[in-house]
Amino acid sequence: LGVNMPLKKGTKKSTKSESGGTVEVAREEEAFPELDIRPERWVNLKVKLVTWDHLDFQVVLKTSTRLYTIVDKVKERHGGSIQDVILYRHQVHPQNILLDLGCTLDEVGFDGGPRSDPKEEVICYDYQAHESDCPLLLSSPRGASRKDVVKKVATEAEDVRRVNLDSRSNISSSAARPGGERRKSLSEDKANSSPTSPDQPETQT
């Protein structure tokens, strides 16, 4: 309800003096203007993220709600991880940016409707991701930098490659050994054994 404070209006009143004459005395009177009595208006507000519709949400609000209340709801929706929220009326366009977050929905053009049938309206928003200079948040897990992680991964990949190459080399060398060498080694083993004397006949069994 909009109620204006009463205004004081100066008037004059005539009174009789002791000598029989009349004297005008100024007197202040309070003038009550007409009360601004209007029913509350409501909007069924759909709040849409510019880049991703999975974070859109809908809320029913009074037209007397301030825009910063909507910004707080947006930040709460993102878990407080965003900043510099920008609101757009109806659609994303530079002329539709709602700069003054102290304004109400009614003041920026959302007329609304009765609570039983709130008027559907749309506000789009965009934001910047939260920035921090905290060393704990900027560092990688276990204190390693990104370069250290990349270097470690590359080293591990090179070690695996070398192991695979060594395994393949051993398998190839074993498969390529000719059968003649094996027979030659067997004959050499027989030759190295004690030979039979030519004067001594062989014993037949």
Side-chain angles (χ1 to χ4, degrees):
L1 299 178
V3 180
N4 296 326
M5 296 298 294
L7 301 177
K8 293 184 179 180
K9 182 174 63 175
T11 59
K12 294 182 179 180
K13 181 181 179 181
S14 298
T15 57
K16 291 184 178 181
S17 61
E18 295 180 354
S19 60
T22 58
V23 178
E24 292 184 352
V25 178
R27 186 181 65 178
E28 292 184 350
E29 293 182 355
E30 293 182 350
F32 292 91
E34 295 182 359
L35 297 178
D36 185 12
I37 302 176
R38 291 181 299 176
E40 291 181 342
R41 309 288 289 179
W42 297 77
V43 292
N44 187 7
L45 189 64
K46 186 172 184 179
V47 186
K48 302 174 62 176
L49 177 59
V50 173
T51 56
W52 198 31
D53 56 1
H54 289 282
L55 287 173
D56 297 353
F57 64 96
Q58 206 156 347
V59 62
V60 178
L61 299 170
K62 298 178 182 179
T63 55
S64 59
T65 303
R66 306 280 176 183
L67 295 178
Y68 59 73
T69 303
I70 300 173
V71 172
D72 291 341
K73 290 183 178 296
V74 169
K75 290 181 177 180
E76 181 180 357
R77 184 84 171 175
H78 289 261
S81 61
I82 62 174
Q83 60 185 5
D84 297 335
V85 178
I86 303 174
L87 301 181
Y88 299 88
R89 183 174 181 267
H90 293 160
Q91 59 183 353
V92 179
H93 192 276
Q95 294 181 352
N96 296 339
I97 297 178
L98 302 175
L99 297 175
D100 189 357
L101 299 181
C103 293
T104 64
L105 292 172
D106 189 13
E107 292 172 343
V108 296
F110 295 103
D111 299 331
R115 185 166 188 175
S116 58
D117 186 22
K119 186 176 180 180
E120 293 187 358
E121 298 285 1
V122 176
I123 279 184
C124 301
Y125 74 93
D126 200 359
Y127 66 90
Q128 285 187 353
H130 179 71
E131 297 180 358
S132 175
D133 56 357
C134 176
L136 295 177
L137 297 178
L138 295 177
S139 63
S140 299
R142 298 181 181 178
S145 65
R146 293 183 179 180
K147 292 183 178 180
D148 293 337
V149 173
V150 172
K151 185 177 180 180
K152 182 179 179 181
V153 172
T155 302
E156 292 177 352
E158 181 65 20
D159 292 341
V160 172
R161 190 182 67 84
R162 288 179 179 176
V163 170
N164 293 335
L165 289 176
D166 293 341
S167 300
R168 293 176 182 176
S169 177
N170 293 333
I171 293 173
S172 299
S173 60
S174 299
R177 179 179 298 174
E181 292 183 359
R182 185 176 181 183
R183 287 192 298 270
K184 183 178 179 181
S185 61
L186 291 175
S187 60
E188 289 177 354
D189 292 340
K190 289 182 179 181
N192 292 331
S193 60
S194 55
T196 305
S197 174
D199 298 335
Q200 183 179 358
E202 294 182 0
T203 305
Q204 297 182 355
T205 58

